[in-house]
Amino acid sequence: MEDWKNLLIGIIGGLVVLGISKVYNAYRKKSIKSDIEFLEFEKKHLEEMKRSSVEMNRSSFRAIFAIFMFIGLANLIPHLFSLTGISVFVMAGSFLEVFLWGCVIWLSIGFWRRYDNLKNYKEAVERMDEKLVKLQEKLQGSK
């Protein structure tokens, strides 16, 4: 009886490992495809910005307004939470404020890199193409 029990546990364990590996591989493929789509979008957007000053201005204003929105939220949230007078909300407001300021920094760095890519367009496109090739090779290798 003990042997059958150990055999059953081994079979179930093997099936669980197979199931987890299938899910992980599917997630990995989806993640790689998502990265490829994002790089292609970024490359296309950079090309549009290079060709059109109107598109560049639109993107610039979107970036500025997004950063202003997060700055405004980062300044507003702690005051709204402190109006409640509950210390837990005040603490949560502080954590949310730090998170929002982190978003401001992240957006600023991202848009700074985009304009640096625009300034050095040829090198940026070459780097993106290299990344695309590596990601497509990973995708082909995981099939």
Side-chain angles (χ1 to χ4, degrees), residues 15-29:
L15 291 175
V16 168
V17 168
L18 285 174
I20 290 173
S21 69
K22 287 271 190 193
V23 169
Y24 174 75
N25 286 336
Y27 171 76
R28 186 170 172 241
K29 284 179 186 178

Side-chain angles (χ1 to χ4, degrees), residues 18 25 41 49 51 66 68 77 83 86 105 109-110 114-115 122 124-126 133-134:
L18 285 174
N25 286 336
F41 168 77
M49 286 175 59
R51 277 192 274 135
F68 282 159
I77 294 291
L83 285 176
I86 301 172
I105 292 169
I109 289 170
R114 178 179 286 167
Y115 289 110
K122 187 175 181 180
V125 169
E126 288 173 358
V133 167
K134 287 180 185 177

Side-chain angles (χ1 to χ4, degrees), residues 29-43:
K29 284 179 186 178
K30 184 179 176 185
S31 175
I32 291 172
K33 287 178 183 178
S34 174
D35 290 346
I36 289 171
E37 288 174 3
F38 178 74
L39 276 173
E40 288 173 348
F41 168 77
E42 187 70 26
K43 187 176 166 184

Side-chain angles (χ1 to χ4, degrees), residues 66-112:
I67 289 171
F68 282 159
M69 182 186 67
F70 278 108
I71 288 173
L73 284 174
N75 288 324
L76 180 69
I77 294 291
H79 297 296
L80 288 176
F81 279 63
S82 67
L83 285 176
T84 63
I86 301 172
S87 64
V88 174
F89 285 149
V90 173
M91 185 69 90
S94 297
F95 284 120
L96 191 56
E97 179 183 16
V98 169
F99 174 75
L100 289 171
W101 279 112
C103 288
V104 168
I105 292 169
W106 177 72
L107 278 172
S108 299
I109 289 170
F111 287 115
W112 183 295

Side-chain angles (χ1 to χ4, degrees), residues 38-47 49-50 110 112-133:
F38 178 74
L39 276 173
E40 288 173 348
F41 168 77
E42 187 70 26
K43 187 176 166 184
K44 179 183 165 202
H45 186 67
L46 197 63
E47 183 180 323
M49 286 175 59
K50 180 79 173 162
W112 183 295
R113 284 183 182 164
R114 178 179 286 167
Y115 289 110
D116 189 45
N117 284 345
L118 190 59
K119 188 170 65 173
N120 304 315
Y121 180 75
K122 187 175 181 180
E123 293 86 13
V125 169
E126 288 173 358
R127 278 194 315 268
M128 286 181 194
D129 286 338
E130 288 173 5
K131 286 181 185 178
L132 280 171
V133 167

Side-chain angles (χ1 to χ4, degrees), residues 41-63:
F41 168 77
E42 187 70 26
K43 187 176 166 184
K44 179 183 165 202
H45 186 67
L46 197 63
E47 183 180 323
E48 289 174 357
M49 286 175 59
K50 180 79 173 162
R51 277 192 274 135
S52 169
S53 62
V54 172
E55 183 63 30
M56 189 168 81
N57 288 335
R58 278 188 193 146
S59 181
S60 300
F61 283 116
R62 278 189 219 128

